[in-house]
Amino acid sequence: MDPQIPTSKGPRWSVTINHHSYVWDESWDPASLALRKQQALIHKIVDASVWGLFVIGVVAWLIPLIVHVTSGGFFALFSLQMVLWNVLVPSVTGVILTATGLVGCFFFYRLVSRLQIHLTIPCRNQDLSEPLPEVQGYGGGSTRSITPLFDGAAQKAIQDAYELAVRFGHAQVEPIHLLIGTLSAQSVSVLFARLGLVFETIKDILQRRLASRLPGTPTIFSSETEQILLRAFVSAYGQDRQRISVVEIFAECYRADSFWRELLYDVSIDETKLLNVVEWMRIIEKMRERHEQFQQSALLKPTGPMNRAMTSVSTPILDSFANDLTLEAVRGSLPMLIGREQEMEDMLRMIEGGQQSVLLVGPDGVGKTALVAGLAQRMVEERVPNLLQDKRLISLSLPFLVSGAAPAQVQDRLIQILGEVAQAGNIILVLEDLEHLQEAQGGFELSSLLVDFLSRGLTFAIATTQPRAYVSTLESSAFSRVFQTLMMEEPDHTQAIHILESKMPFLEYEQDVIFTYEAVAKAVELTDRYLHESFLPQKAIEVCQEAALVVRRKQGKGAFVTGEEIAAIVAGKTGIPLTQVATQEKDILLHLEEEMHKRVIGQNEAVSAVASALRRARAELRSTTRPIATFLFLGPTGVGKTELAKTIAATYFGSEKQMLRFDMSEYQEKSSVDRLIGTPGNREGGLLTEAVRRQPFAIVLLDELEKAHPDIVNLFLQVFEDGRLTDTAGRTIDFTNTIIVATSNAGTAYIQDAIAAGESLEQIKTHLLQDQLRAIYRPEFLNRCDGVIVFRPLQKEEIYEIAKLMIAQVTARLEPKGIGFRAEDAALDALVEKGFDPQFGARPLRRVIQEEVENAIAQALLEGQAKRRDTIVLEAGGTIRIESAPVL
Amino acid sequence: MPAIVTFPLAVVREGIQSFFGFPLWWYTRGVVLVAERLKQFWIFSARMTGVSVWMRNLFVPMFGDVSIAGRIISFFLRLIMVMWKIFLLGLWALCLIALFLFYLVLPFICLLGLFYHLSGIFSV
């Protein structure tokens, strides 16, 4: 179709690019469709006929030739007679030859003219930050049709959409038809697989939606559909693609159709998720295109030490300590750089502008090496400033350089290497972890040598280092004179997801597994949230590698890696339960209070506040930038404050060992802060920070906080608010997976008096906050606590229950010896009578049980009165009786 | 008319229409396409020989030899190499032009040859 001819029906929408109006103007009606199908068949038949004629012609010409050669020998082929026979002397063979030539030309025309695209998507050469053109109402004038710009799969999707609408007798081809049309395309099937979406789950809803469309004939394309197709064209233009793919149509349908958005939202696919998967498909496609272009460019790049201008010399010493990155790039062994365009532009500008060396400063794993590899690839393609063209990028291994040699020898090596670099003149040095040079023996001399060499402008270098090493070693050294610093930050979530998506083809190929989008997103999200010692994207890539290996081993080839597998790997590394709440765990969470009351008697308000906080945390409803919960437990001694903390450790964190207990009475001096977060200048860290760093998923119990120095209480203000604390070594310690419980005896006398006076707990708490605690804690501290929980003194009935628990503990301790134990009710009453003291809670009871029960049992055991299978019975009056087991 | 008749007719019509469109395409879009491809091929060949790199570095000593003798030898060697490369590229350009001309005349040659052979056979 000639794009310049205006359509008869007239388009409704258009997009203007470079003063040309692009429209969707294909006529779609049963007759046109049938005609197009017939036309396609005719094309095939004519092409096949022409090709057949050409083959017959060639064979007919070859047969006499072969006969001639076999009878007259190979050299007869070149004989004058042969030439004359075919060309000069009129003959049947001559007719066949010339006719076959004509048919060949005709076939070439048919083949190439069809492949040759008369119209391509215009190149987007302008500034990429310029906004994309809008779809607007068509205002007349000459147009270009976008129809031929859709690739084969996209054209089929549009046709399927139309046929679907016709089959159902619908008046218009609407976005829903277009969407269903795209579903049979392979790329959309892959997209569904990545999203973990099974078509069957949405099939019924789609059918209902289809059934509700307006009937009518003839079926025409709706205005929305026309706009979607134009937007798909704009999207392809924005990405500098040559064709409009079916994925673009799918993405635009999603953007335009609220029903489709709702439907996917219902199956847990939100906009970010879908657009990131669409981007994944684009990234893979772009990588393929770039790889093809790169291979062509790589043919021109020399693979030896000699450059194309032949100005360089061989560099044997340098080669023995270095890696040729440009050579590795030519061989295709370097990963393709995705993202980091800004950093690459900055680096090239620094090199070109100041002709100065560049120091990339960033934590391990953020992509410094990947950026250098990206530069090597651009150097192979010669997509670099003149200064870098026809050059080699050589990575000098500093550990190799300094190892196994005395400082003088290392200096000698470096002098020789720099001499070779200067003489070759085509080498750009890469120095990874530059601080190694400064920190090596004789580092000052080595650094001076390098600085002197670089400052003379003989070449320049690209070095990398970590922020800590930069501050401590390099910033104040002579290197700062010759290196311009380029800070590399950790990529944000979306960028990290895109980088991870670009790694997936290799990972999937290696392990023969398939990653869902959920797995990729979880890898980024969970590693960012829970693994603070390493950085994105490297840590996410490592987790994905592990998950792929595990899935391959457990489920075999072709299995899907889902978010659950990623969560399991991260949970294994951190000890934090991250997988979805299982049914059994759900029951425990729902009945947490009952579970906790098995250990903590009474204190209903405290138990229910804690249980609610734990449920919020496990259901992922809590804030992720603060600790799971922060509590201040107030009350007299022996009422169960510490016991409740232990119970939390056991029920939520899995074991009582998951409790980090700090007796704050040991931190009464101002200097005690150093013990908690580390001494300045010492890299060991403090007691608190190290404990949490090693055990990030735990309960932190701050016993008797009121006794700590006020500066220490202030320190916890930051932890309560931000969920993190920086130790003196500069590490940020994450407290967001801890529950912090501070206990305090402050206001005990008041609580006891108020309870005795019959005041409610709420009244007591209000009075404590407004009056009693003011002198001890600053209001902002109290304000940051999720709950200030008052433990009331224990009643006699509660002490009775606690006595039963303690007796049960004694029974449990005797069980391994094969001896049973029970206390008679009267004995229990007597114990409670003796052990009850409203002032000291359950502590006197523990003493009474120790003195009266455990001592008596110990004596009986030592005297040999109780044997295996016997039962010890505690009777009223504190005496014990042995019930002998029946003789066997 | 039934499809069994109309369809073969449509095929024949397409064949005939296409046959008449063929010379027009061959000497318009086809010419442009072939010329463009041959030009790209020549440019790639020129990049492969690195002639522009050698010309840019005409006065730069080869193999890092910055002595006067080295510079003089290097200059002349580069000059000879550049001339040789230009010669080769020129020759290659002639070959490609010949190929282009062959494209231009091929249908004529075939057509004329066909007439010649046919008339020769039938006149005998």
Side-chain angles (χ1 to χ4, degrees), chain A residues 569-797:
Chain A
I569 296 284
V570 179
K573 283 177 185 290
T574 57
I576 305 170
L578 297 170
T579 47
Q580 277 181 9
V581 180
T583 321
Q584 194 188 356
E585 195 187 352
K586 224 178 260 178
D587 289 342
I588 294 174
L589 284 168
L590 287 172
H591 303 102
L592 210 52
E593 281 92 339
E594 289 166 35
E595 199 66 29
M596 291 170 101
H597 273 308
K598 284 181 187 166
R599 291 186 56 165
V600 179
I601 304 298
Q603 312 299 1
N604 294 341
E605 193 213 9
V607 167
S608 100
V610 167
S612 305
L614 300 187
R615 274 194 290 267
R616 280 198 303 273
R618 198 64 185 96
E620 296 282 309
L621 288 176
R622 68 182 179 98
S623 160
T624 53
T625 54
R626 299 183 66 232
I628 296 171
T630 48
F631 295 115
L632 176 62
F633 288 175
L634 296 169
T637 182
V639 293
K641 299 191 293 290
T642 309
E643 189 60 28
L644 182 56
K646 280 183 188 171
T647 311
I648 295 170
T651 48
Y652 187 71
F653 296 106
S655 158
E656 269 187 37
K657 287 179 186 164
Q658 296 295 101
M659 185 164 84
L660 307 170
R661 187 171 179 169
F662 294 87
D663 190 344
M664 299 315 285
S665 59
E666 294 171 13
Y667 300 90
Q668 295 184 15
E669 302 300 320
K670 193 177 181 182
S671 58
S672 314
V673 174
D674 293 346
R675 286 175 60 208
L676 285 177
I677 65 167
T679 317
N682 188 341
R683 286 194 163 193
E684 282 177 12
L687 290 175
L688 173 69
T689 50
E690 273 306 286
V692 176
R693 195 169 76 85
R694 293 208 180 98
Q695 231 171 303
F697 187 60
I699 178 165
V700 179
L701 180 66
L702 309 171
D703 245 348
E704 301 187 77
L705 185 65
E706 78 279 9
K707 289 178 183 160
H709 190 273
D711 281 2
I712 290 177
V713 179
N714 289 342
L715 193 74
F716 281 104
L717 277 181
Q718 188 199 334
V719 179
F720 281 24
E721 186 61 22
D722 301 331
R724 57 190 183 169
L725 193 62
T726 307
D727 68 7
T728 45
R731 285 181 295 237
T732 303
I733 312 298
D734 180 26
F735 280 75
T736 57
N737 297 299
T738 60
I739 292 177
I740 303 178
V741 174
T743 69
S744 179
N745 295 334
T748 299
Y750 165 73
I751 296 171
Q752 283 171 334
D753 293 346
I755 292 282
E759 282 185 38
S760 71
L761 277 178
E762 204 50 46
Q763 283 173 315
I764 297 170
K765 196 163 117 182
T766 312
H767 181 79
L768 278 170
L769 287 171
Q770 287 174 352
D771 188 30
Q772 301 273 329
L773 296 179
R774 278 206 157 183
I776 304 161
Y777 302 110
R778 284 163 59 185
E780 53 266 44
F781 177 82
L782 295 173
N783 212 18
R784 280 177 170 87
C785 288
D786 293 328
V788 176
I789 296 165
V790 178
F791 283 63
R792 53 182 185 72
L794 294 170
Q795 305 298 308
K796 210 168 195 179
E797 303 79 53

